[in-house]
């Protein structure tokens, strides 16, 4: 991160165009972009023979983030990370994005400075360029909207509805850390690995792309609402079911230490908590070795956690047999049941 000069100015001193300029001057030029920030629309190049991928996500203060424990730099990183994760789940290569901001008047210029530094840092990490956006004032909290474009050849794009019976189910990384991190933040803790995983998740762009390029996945989704909920999208869209083996669900050291190995609650957040932004994918069982080799090269953990069945529904198995107890549903913005998101 480049050291910013702290100004503590207000946005009313700076104005809309000053604010756009503050962000625009940090953007690095890119060969993908023909016309960037500063005209009526952006113009950018696609690779020949590729499909264009587009995804958009909104982050709303009080719904998706709480500024009492979320610093602007990491908020900027996360705002783009959640979009990068969607392109990763399609097996795509992210390229460029638009940023829409509705900002309360009383926010400081320093806040936006730090936010945009975080945003543009992760953009550079994943080779994507900011090409435009929109900026206006908000009367009720900060709203961040990002639209991210990516690309991939048609036959390599991975979808949700293409799982088949007998395929193995794999997941990257560890599950439940983000939901546990949020709980700890809400209890007043401010440091720790699971807290970092909540505030600054890693989008699995390299992993999604490598799987797609190797033709190793049959279906894929990113875990934003919780394992059961998102696996439900794969099985639902594929008109299939699944068996999940609880003892194979990957739990991080810090997560396991928090719950202890005997705790009944141990799997609740891993199955139902959201915002892990790991990839969940299916592949023929005989390709397991290739998948493990690929992930060893990438330096990312991968676990086989179950299999796709032709019988609908998701069945959970522990070492003692089938279990159905105490599983929290994933997050749904409009249902009255409360998930883990604040
Ligand atoms: P118009 O009035 O034609 O929509 P604007 O004055 O809103 O244009 O925006 C001027 C330029 O600044 C455009 O290129 C637009 O894409 C860009 N822009 C506006 N807001 C943002 C932002 N938050 N981040 C990046 N670029 C932005
Ligand atoms: Mg505009």
């Amino acid at each position: 991160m480049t050291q910013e000069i702290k100004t503590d100015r207000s946005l009313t001193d700076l104005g809309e165009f000053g604010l756009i300029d503050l962000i625009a001057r940090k953007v690095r030029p890119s060969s993908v972009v023909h016309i960037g920030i500063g005209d009526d629309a952006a113009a950018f190049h696609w690779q020949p023979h590729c499909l264009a991928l587009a995804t958009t996500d909104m982050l709303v203060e009080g719904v998706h983030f709480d500024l009492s424990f979320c610093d602007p730099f990491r908020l900027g990183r996360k705002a783009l990370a959640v979009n990068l994760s969607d392109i990763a789940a399609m097996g795509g290569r992210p390229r460029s994005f638009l940023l829409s901001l509705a900002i309360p008047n009383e926010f400081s210029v320093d806040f936006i400075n730090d936010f945009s530094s975080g945003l543009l840092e992760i953009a550079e990490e994943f080779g994507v360029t900011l090409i435009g956006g929109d900026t206006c004032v908000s009367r009720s909290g900060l709203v961040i909207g990002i639209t991210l474009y990516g690309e991939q050849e048609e036959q390599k794009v991975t979808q949700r509805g293409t799982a088949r019976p007998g395929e193995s189910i794999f997941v990257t990384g560890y599950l439940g850390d983000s939901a546990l991190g949020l709980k700890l933040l809400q209890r007043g803790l401010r440091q720790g690995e699971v807290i970092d995983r909540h505030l600054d998740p890693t989008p699995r762009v390299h992993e999604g792309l490598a799987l797609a390029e190797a033709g190793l996945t049959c279906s894929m989704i990113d875990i934003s609402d919780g394992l059961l909920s998102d696996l439900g999208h794969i099985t639902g869209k594929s008109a299939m079911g699944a068996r999940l083996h609880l003892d194979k669900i990957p739990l991080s050291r810090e997560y396991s230490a928090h719950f202890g190995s005997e705790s009944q609650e141990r799997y609740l957040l891993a199955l139902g908590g959201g915002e892990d932004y790991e990839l969940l994918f299916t592949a023929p069982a005989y390709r397991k070795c290739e998948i493990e080799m690929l992930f060893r090269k990438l330096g990312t953990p991968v676990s086989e956690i179950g299999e796709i069945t032709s019988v609908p529904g998701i069945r959970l198995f522990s070492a003692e047999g089938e279990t159905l107890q105490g599983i929290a549903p994933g997050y749904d913005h409009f249902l009255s049941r409360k998930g883990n998101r604040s």
Side-chain angles (χ1 to χ4, degrees):
M1 175 194 175
T2 47
Q3 198 55 48
E4 305 285 350
I5 300 156
K6 297 286 167 190
T7 59
D8 222 18
R9 272 182 302 164
S10 77
L11 293 182
T12 32
D13 301 331
L14 198 65
E16 178 187 340
F17 297 106
L19 186 58
I20 296 170
D21 187 53
L22 173 100
I23 298 171
R25 63 189 156 77
K26 294 189 215 175
V27 176
R28 301 266 168 93
S30 154
S31 59
V32 173
V33 181
H34 187 63
I35 303 168
I37 295 172
D39 218 311
D40 291 307
F44 51 101
H45 301 280
W46 296 119
Q47 293 294 321
H49 314 299
C50 275
L51 288 180
L53 302 168
T55 182
T56 192
D57 264 304
M58 264 199 294
L59 294 187
V60 179
E61 186 182 346
V63 178
H64 299 95
F65 60 91
D66 182 336
L67 289 178
S68 65
F69 54 66
C70 188
D71 60 278
F73 188 85
R74 286 194 284 186
L75 181 61
R77 289 185 57 92
K78 187 166 177 176
L80 188 57
V82 302
N83 283 279
L84 287 166
S85 178
D86 281 323
I87 294 292
M90 302 300 288
R93 184 175 284 107
R95 288 292 194 197
S96 52
F97 68 105
L98 298 167
L99 169 67
S100 297
L101 291 173
I103 316 168
N105 236 332
E106 66 273 14
F107 271 46
S108 71
V109 173
D110 287 344
F111 183 97
I112 301 300
N113 214 356
D114 290 347
F115 169 83
S116 55
S117 291
L119 179 86
L120 294 170
E121 182 188 74
I122 192 169
E124 209 172 321
E125 275 167 36
F126 289 96
V128 298
T129 309
L130 178 60
I131 55 171
D134 199 19
T135 305
C136 67
V137 73
S138 167
R139 304 271 174 246
S140 56
L142 177 65
V143 181
I144 306 155
I146 288 183
T147 300
L148 174 64
Y149 300 101
E151 61 195 7
Q152 183 50 285
E153 290 161 50
E154 185 177 348
Q155 68 278 10
K156 293 180 181 167
V157 170
T158 48
Q159 301 180 53
R160 299 175 174 187
T162 43
R164 293 292 166 259
E167 286 170 11
S168 293
I169 302 168
F170 296 89
V171 70
T172 62
Y174 302 102
L175 299 183
D177 282 1
S178 177
L180 175 59
L182 176 60
K183 275 190 190 296
L184 298 180
L185 282 164
Q186 287 167 338
R187 282 185 211 154
L189 272 79
R190 291 292 175 265
Q191 276 174 350
E193 264 172 55
V194 295
I195 285 174
D196 291 344
R197 297 259 301 129
H198 178 75
L199 295 176
D200 191 8
T202 305
R204 299 299 191 184
V205 175
H206 304 303
E207 294 78 359
L209 197 53
L211 284 167
E213 293 294 338
L216 279 169
T217 46
C218 299
S219 66
M220 186 148 67
I221 191 169
D222 69 320
I223 303 182
S224 51
D225 296 328
L227 172 62
L228 286 184
S229 174
D230 289 315
L231 178 58
H233 291 309
I234 286 192
T235 55
K237 280 215 134 197
S238 305
M240 296 284 145
R243 293 160 60 98
L244 278 186
H245 305 289
L246 287 183
D247 52 339
K248 293 188 180 173
I249 291 180
L251 307 176
S252 71
R253 215 156 19 103
E254 195 174 335
Y255 181 98
S256 301
H258 179 87
F259 287 107
S261 58
E262 300 302 315
S263 165
Q264 290 295 309
E265 278 181 42
R266 194 154 56 111
Y267 292 108
L268 289 187
L269 297 181
L271 290 167
E275 300 200 87
D276 280 313
Y277 300 106
E278 296 295 347
L279 291 177
L280 179 69
F281 60 94
T282 69
Y286 72 88
R287 305 204 74 173
K288 185 178 176 184
C289 280
E290 281 173 83
I291 290 168
E292 285 173 346
M293 250 164 55
L294 183 81
F295 276 83
R296 220 170 293 135
K297 263 192 232 152
L298 290 165
T300 306
V302 68
S303 310
E304 185 190 12
I305 59 170
E307 51 279 333
I308 297 290
T309 60
S310 51
V311 185
I314 298 173
R315 298 171 66 190
L316 301 172
F317 293 85
S318 69
E320 289 82 45
E322 190 159 1
T323 172
L324 286 169
Q325 284 166 13
I327 302 307
Y331 188 83
D332 184 312
H333 277 272
F334 293 101
L335 292 181
S336 55
R337 72 184 188 219
K338 188 79 179 80
N340 297 292
R341 215 165 292 182
S342 59

